[in-house]
Amino acid sequence: MKKSSTTSSKLNIGLILLVFISFVSCEDKCENEQTLYNYRPVYTSLTELRSQVAYSEPQEIEITGKIFFKDSYLFINEPNKGIHIIDNHDPANPVNKGFITVPGSYDLAVKGNMLYTDSYIDLVIIDISDINNIHEAGRKENVFNTYNTYGYYATDDALVTSWEISEERTVVTHDCNGSDSDPVLYDWGYTLSDGIGTFESIDNRNSVSPTNPGMGGSMARFALAGNYLYTLNSSELITFNLASPESPSDDNHTQLSWDIETIFPKNGHLFIGTRSGMHIMDLTTDPLSPTLLSTYAHVTSCDPVIVDDNYAYVTLRSGTECEGFTNQLEVIDISDLTNPKLLHTYEMTNPHGLGKDGNLLFICDGSDGLKVFNAEDISDINNNMLEHYKDIQAYDIIPFQNIAMMIGEDGLFQYDYSDMDNITLLSHIQIKSSH
């Protein structure tokens, strides 16, 4: 009986421990119920994506992205879809000529007869020498290998190209004390087993183009200088040698900061805007391998930059993507490229792209429209506004030979500024959603 009693006691203790462990296990699981936009990734094979580049009849513009101007033609990127070609020989009567389908296109630059654009992880080279027979001339595969959309990287043979979206209440269960297997919580939401759950809808518009012999906008991530194409890819600068225009080589990768956003070439240098400042890089010694001269730091904010001979003009804006709260224009002395200095700061509403021609400074101030300043006196820019076009959402602008080509959510606007005291609207191409 004594042995049986001992056995019974052990069984009772075991049951108590089991109940206790179960109780603790349940108590250590936490549930967080949120109403989220649930995004489930849709993959497309690389084979299919690489066969879709094609030229077609003109299409209505639905979403505007980067712009590039070359030889009286405007190239307007429609993010993730392709590029609209606008015949701009007569800016008062621009003609939509055609559309180049390029899946995953966000950035572009044109040199000679070749248009260079990204297609997710590839660089695509498109022959535009005959406007009626535009075609793919070459491709560099897997050069933008850090491509991902919110944590979902390319597989060996497919990419995330879109998302299935539903709004639903999601219960996220995780260990109260946290574990490696928990769903990861970011500012925008959670990673889930079958996708992501965000507190807001995802905005897939990215910022992107200034260059010679063509010209792009200040939001560029592609830039041309000499016989080289410079592109920003995550945290690195990739230099392509264009000696063979149809088959450029990515001969050099330069590591920069994680937050690089825009690029502007000027007088043998690159001015690279980041969320935390501006890098100045020298191309004169070795254009294939740019060297860092200096870095100008500012508060965390989205940051396009343009440059004239002695000054850099930087717009800082707030936004969820940039995690900043500053909306202003900064004028920086770059007479000594190794020691840039802040000279003046001017408050803005939510500035995006900007452009400058002579003393005229154009600022796309987001929902506050397009603002044109006489910037001859850099110490008094705010008191010298010449025009303010309100009630438009201004994104980026290219001023060239008295014509300012401005893109925004309401379409393409063109202004004649040959008389700075009488700047006039020449034309407007609406986008489909604004009709």
Side-chain angles (χ1 to χ4, degrees), residues 9-23:
S9 298
K10 288 182 177 179
L11 287 172
N12 290 335
I13 292 171
L15 287 171
I16 292 170
L17 286 173
L18 181 60
V19 171
F20 178 74
I21 290 170
S22 299
F23 176 77

mmCIF file of all heavy atoms in Angstrom, residues 9-23:
data_model
loop_
_atom_site.group_PDB
_atom_site.id
_atom_site.type_symbol
_atom_site.label_atom_id
_atom_site.label_comp_id
_atom_site.label_asym_id
_atom_site.label_seq_id
_atom_site.Cartn_x
_atom_site.Cartn_y
_atom_site.Cartn_z
ATOM 1 N N SER A 9 0.692 9.738 -5.389
ATOM 2 C CA SER A 9 1.142 11.114 -5.115
ATOM 3 C C SER A 9 1.898 11.691 -6.297
ATOM 4 O O SER A 9 1.746 12.859 -6.667
ATOM 5 C CB SER A 9 2.044 11.136 -3.873
ATOM 6 O OG SER A 9 1.316 10.702 -2.749
ATOM 7 N N LYS A 10 2.738 10.843 -6.930
ATOM 8 C CA LYS A 10 3.506 11.313 -8.089
ATOM 9 C C LYS A 10 2.583 11.680 -9.249
ATOM 10 O O LYS A 10 2.788 12.658 -9.956
ATOM 11 C CB LYS A 10 4.503 10.237 -8.525
ATOM 12 C CG LYS A 10 5.679 10.065 -7.571
ATOM 13 C CD LYS A 10 6.648 9.013 -8.081
ATOM 14 C CE LYS A 10 7.858 8.891 -7.149
ATOM 15 N NZ LYS A 10 8.793 7.858 -7.602
ATOM 16 N N LEU A 11 1.524 10.814 -9.399
ATOM 17 C CA LEU A 11 0.567 11.110 -10.469
ATOM 18 C C LEU A 11 -0.155 12.427 -10.232
ATOM 19 O O LEU A 11 -0.350 13.225 -11.132
ATOM 20 C CB LEU A 11 -0.444 9.971 -10.589
ATOM 21 C CG LEU A 11 0.080 8.664 -11.202
ATOM 22 C CD1 LEU A 11 -0.976 7.569 -11.080
ATOM 23 C CD2 LEU A 11 0.458 8.869 -12.659
ATOM 24 N N ASN A 12 -0.543 12.668 -8.982
ATOM 25 C CA ASN A 12 -1.244 13.916 -8.644
ATOM 26 C C ASN A 12 -0.369 15.136 -8.881
ATOM 27 O O ASN A 12 -0.813 16.161 -9.402
ATOM 28 C CB ASN A 12 -1.705 13.881 -7.186
ATOM 29 C CG ASN A 12 -2.844 12.882 -6.983
ATOM 30 O OD1 ASN A 12 -3.558 12.580 -7.922
ATOM 31 N ND2 ASN A 12 -2.984 12.385 -5.762
ATOM 32 N N ILE A 13 0.896 15.007 -8.463
ATOM 33 C CA ILE A 13 1.839 16.128 -8.679
ATOM 34 C C ILE A 13 2.019 16.392 -10.173
ATOM 35 O O ILE A 13 2.045 17.530 -10.638
ATOM 36 C CB ILE A 13 3.193 15.820 -8.014
ATOM 37 C CG1 ILE A 13 3.020 15.810 -6.491
ATOM 38 C CG2 ILE A 13 4.247 16.843 -8.420
ATOM 39 C CD1 ILE A 13 4.242 15.315 -5.754
ATOM 40 N N GLY A 14 2.097 15.277 -10.965
ATOM 41 C CA GLY A 14 2.257 15.431 -12.416
ATOM 42 C C GLY A 14 1.079 16.140 -13.049
ATOM 43 O O GLY A 14 1.234 17.002 -13.909
ATOM 44 N N LEU A 15 -0.137 15.761 -12.591
ATOM 45 C CA LEU A 15 -1.329 16.418 -13.138
ATOM 46 C C LEU A 15 -1.361 17.896 -12.797
ATOM 47 O O LEU A 15 -1.723 18.743 -13.613
ATOM 48 C CB LEU A 15 -2.583 15.723 -12.588
ATOM 49 C CG LEU A 15 -2.892 14.335 -13.173
ATOM 50 C CD1 LEU A 15 -4.022 13.666 -12.386
ATOM 51 C CD2 LEU A 15 -3.266 14.456 -14.641
ATOM 52 N N ILE A 16 -0.973 18.214 -11.541
ATOM 53 C CA ILE A 16 -0.943 19.620 -11.118
ATOM 54 C C ILE A 16 0.050 20.414 -11.968
ATOM 55 O O ILE A 16 -0.233 21.522 -12.428
ATOM 56 C CB ILE A 16 -0.574 19.717 -9.621
ATOM 57 C CG1 ILE A 16 -1.720 19.133 -8.772
ATOM 58 C CG2 ILE A 16 -0.311 21.166 -9.221
ATOM 59 C CD1 ILE A 16 -1.359 18.970 -7.304
ATOM 60 N N LEU A 17 1.224 19.835 -12.213
ATOM 61 C CA LEU A 17 2.244 20.506 -13.033
ATOM 62 C C LEU A 17 1.739 20.718 -14.459
ATOM 63 O O LEU A 17 1.952 21.769 -15.070
ATOM 64 C CB LEU A 17 3.543 19.698 -13.040
ATOM 65 C CG LEU A 17 4.372 19.734 -11.767
ATOM 66 C CD1 LEU A 17 5.538 18.768 -11.859
ATOM 67 C CD2 LEU A 17 4.882 21.151 -11.508
ATOM 68 N N LEU A 18 1.057 19.673 -14.991
ATOM 69 C CA LEU A 18 0.549 19.782 -16.358
ATOM 70 C C LEU A 18 -0.475 20.896 -16.485
ATOM 71 O O LEU A 18 -0.447 21.699 -17.419
ATOM 72 C CB LEU A 18 -0.072 18.451 -16.790
ATOM 73 C CG LEU A 18 -0.632 18.382 -18.222
ATOM 74 C CD1 LEU A 18 0.482 18.649 -19.228
ATOM 75 C CD2 LEU A 18 -1.282 17.027 -18.481
ATOM 76 N N VAL A 19 -1.397 20.958 -15.505
ATOM 77 C CA VAL A 19 -2.399 22.024 -15.504
ATOM 78 C C VAL A 19 -1.740 23.389 -15.383
ATOM 79 O O VAL A 19 -2.091 24.351 -16.067
ATOM 80 C CB VAL A 19 -3.415 21.814 -14.361
ATOM 81 C CG1 VAL A 19 -4.316 23.034 -14.233
ATOM 82 C CG2 VAL A 19 -4.243 20.562 -14.613
ATOM 83 N N PHE A 20 -0.721 23.474 -14.509
ATOM 84 C CA PHE A 20 -0.021 24.743 -14.302
ATOM 85 C C PHE A 20 0.680 25.199 -15.576
ATOM 86 O O PHE A 20 0.603 26.356 -15.979
ATOM 87 C CB PHE A 20 0.989 24.587 -13.169
ATOM 88 C CG PHE A 20 1.802 25.827 -12.916
ATOM 89 C CD1 PHE A 20 1.242 26.938 -12.280
ATOM 90 C CD2 PHE A 20 3.118 25.907 -13.349
ATOM 91 C CE1 PHE A 20 1.980 28.074 -12.065
ATOM 92 C CE2 PHE A 20 3.857 27.046 -13.133
ATOM 93 C CZ PHE A 20 3.299 28.133 -12.480
ATOM 94 N N ILE A 21 1.374 24.237 -16.232
ATOM 95 C CA ILE A 21 2.094 24.579 -17.472
ATOM 96 C C ILE A 21 1.121 25.038 -18.553
ATOM 97 O O ILE A 21 1.346 26.006 -19.267
ATOM 98 C CB ILE A 21 2.908 23.362 -17.958
ATOM 99 C CG1 ILE A 21 4.082 23.110 -16.992
ATOM 100 C CG2 ILE A 21 3.448 23.596 -19.368
ATOM 101 C CD1 ILE A 21 4.802 21.812 -17.241
ATOM 102 N N SER A 22 -0.026 24.312 -18.627
ATOM 103 C CA SER A 22 -1.037 24.693 -19.616
ATOM 104 C C SER A 22 -1.579 26.091 -19.338
ATOM 105 O O SER A 22 -1.779 26.901 -20.225
ATOM 106 C CB SER A 22 -2.188 23.684 -19.609
ATOM 107 O OG SER A 22 -1.718 22.402 -19.950
ATOM 108 N N PHE A 23 -1.805 26.363 -18.044
ATOM 109 C CA PHE A 23 -2.323 27.676 -17.652
ATOM 110 C C PHE A 23 -1.337 28.785 -18.006
ATOM 111 O O PHE A 23 -1.696 29.797 -18.575
ATOM 112 C CB PHE A 23 -2.612 27.664 -16.150
ATOM 113 C CG PHE A 23 -3.065 29.008 -15.642
ATOM 114 C CD1 PHE A 23 -4.369 29.448 -15.864
ATOM 115 C CD2 PHE A 23 -2.195 29.835 -14.943
ATOM 116 C CE1 PHE A 23 -4.791 30.674 -15.396
ATOM 117 C CE2 PHE A 23 -2.614 31.064 -14.490
ATOM 118 C CZ PHE A 23 -3.916 31.486 -14.705
#
